[in-house]
Amino acid sequence: QLVESGGELVQAGHSLTLSCKASGRPLSYYAIGWFRQAPGKEREFVTAMTWNGGSTSTADSVKGRFTISRENALNTVYLQMNSLKPEDAAVYFCAANLKWYDISTSSTSYDYWGRGTQVTVSS
């Protein structure tokens, strides 16, 4: 099970950190991705990391502003979001990929999903 937290209303230009905590099987078994979905839009890839943090992949729209990290000992993955823009507003989801080396940008590659946390950015 994956549970996201940390979403809230923030002003544009501010920062926010999301957390994704896993229960059950250790998080170290998985590659983890973050996706987001805004109203009326398709779910889109944000960033992903292999099981040990050795490789990452990040969408161009957030590159340089968002950073993924993980603490396997705490079974938690983080998404640090800086310089937030109104267009970053969405429900953010974390997802686990059983292929621990696979940092796919496709949502269909991920096996388990959290329920999401809402991020709202005011201009």
Side-chain angles (χ1 to χ4, degrees):
Q1 182 181 6
L2 301 174
V3 179
E4 303 92 338
S5 62
E8 63 180 72
L9 169 64
V10 295
Q11 288 187 331
H14 287 208
S15 299
L16 196 61
T17 300
L18 305 183
S19 299
C20 171
K21 187 166 180 61
S23 59
R25 198 175 187 188
L27 200 63
S28 57
Y29 280 84
Y30 305 101
I32 296 293
W34 284 96
F35 289 77
R36 66 185 183 185
Q37 188 167 18
K41 294 187 176 182
E42 293 188 354
R43 189 168 298 189
E44 66 171 347
F45 171 77
V46 177
T47 186
M49 173 178 276
T50 52
W51 73 279
N52 62 351
S55 294
T56 61
S57 177
T58 303
D60 288 343
S61 59
V62 304
K63 197 168 290 184
R65 300 188 298 121
F66 289 14
T67 303
I68 186 172
S69 62
R70 63 192 298 163
E71 288 192 53
N72 286 341
L74 297 179
N75 261 2
T76 303
V77 175
Y78 305 97
L79 180 64
Q80 174 68 41
M81 305 186 293
N82 298 327
S83 303
L84 282 161
K85 304 175 181 180
E87 53 263 41
D88 293 320
V91 177
Y92 282 72
F93 301 88
C94 66
N97 186 344
L98 282 169
K99 298 183 183 69
W100 43 266
Y101 52 85
D102 183 9
I103 47 176
S104 172
T105 62
S106 172
S107 62
T108 59
S109 297
Y110 292 80
D111 303 284
Y112 305 105
W113 290 81
R115 293 189 174 185
T117 185
Q118 176 73 52
V119 173
T120 306
V121 184
S122 65
S123 56

